[in-house]
Amino acid sequence: MQQAEKKQRGRPASSSATSHEQILDAVQAILTEKSVRDLTIEEVARRAGVGKPTIYKWWPSKFALVLDLFERQKIPTVRAPIGATAEEVIRLQVATTIEFLNGFFGKVARELVAEVQSSPDLLREYQERYIMPRRAVSHEVIQKAIASGEFRSDTDPDILIDMIYGPIYYRLLIRYKELDTAYGDTIVTHALSTVKKEKHS
């Protein structure tokens, strides 16, 4: 199933691209009303005005549809502006992530996390297509900070990423308090206090 999905995934060429976008628009419209679990290919086809075979030509499952919707409207990848410190980039990345998760896609993210727990294949795909690419960007920022001396040489990038983003996704999923940029900024301050090199006068 995964090989077929990888072969078909991606924006189709020429006039087919219109139907492709209409289908993803239909998915987004349905998910404003229903959960990922309640989403059906039949309803997507009806809303998009296409046949089910058209959908299955590009996506093997509704989960693949939702992941493609995520990729179309994914959290913007924030890379380092020229001259920015790693701390500045991380704070910008965190603020951007929180703003994204406070909207429609925060709802969908919660539902996706719930759905993948019951399927190792779906969990792997969610990790490969959504989680790992974002971690790779953060990993690159941290490695450069280590090389430049901004962060301590014994900094573990994976642990630092978990320290920063773990609380954000915990609050997103549990929702016991508001997830806002002030909270994200506080997390970054505490996490980076463990890895920043002390400046000596």
Side-chain angles (χ1 to χ4, degrees), residues 156-167:
D156 184 320
D158 288 315
I159 294 297
L160 183 56
I161 291 168
D162 288 346
M163 289 172 66
I164 294 170
Y165 288 96

Side-chain angles (χ1 to χ4, degrees), residues 92-157:
L92 180 58
Q93 288 174 332
V94 166
T96 303
T97 298
I98 289 175
E99 289 175 4
F100 181 86
L101 293 176
N102 271 327
F104 164 77
F105 284 92
K107 165 195 175 291
V108 178
R110 286 193 296 270
E111 294 167 357
L112 279 174
V113 170
E115 290 298 305
V116 300
Q117 301 311 307
S118 60
S119 171
D121 288 340
L122 294 183
L123 177 59
R124 188 179 308 110
E125 178 140 10
Y126 180 66
Q127 292 169 341
E128 290 176 355
R129 293 184 61 187
Y130 180 70
I131 299 298
M132 300 314 295
R134 308 212 64 75
R135 288 184 70 93
V137 173
S138 296
H139 205 283
E140 179 183 349
V141 172
I142 295 168
Q143 289 285 18
K144 288 182 178 179
I146 295 170
S148 71
E150 184 180 350
F151 292 171
R152 287 169 24 190
S153 60
D154 61 350
T155 299
D156 184 320

Side-chain angles (χ1 to χ4, degrees), residues 1-9 41 54-65 68 122 125 129:
M1 178 176 120
Q2 289 181 340
Q3 289 182 347
E5 182 176 346
K6 288 179 181 178
K7 180 179 179 181
Q8 297 294 342
R9 183 183 304 140
I41 296 295
T54 299
I55 294 177
Y56 283 118
K57 175 183 176 181
W58 294 317
W59 299 279
S61 67
K62 69 175 185 180
F63 189 81
L65 265 171
D68 269 12
L122 294 183
E125 178 140 10
R129 293 184 61 187

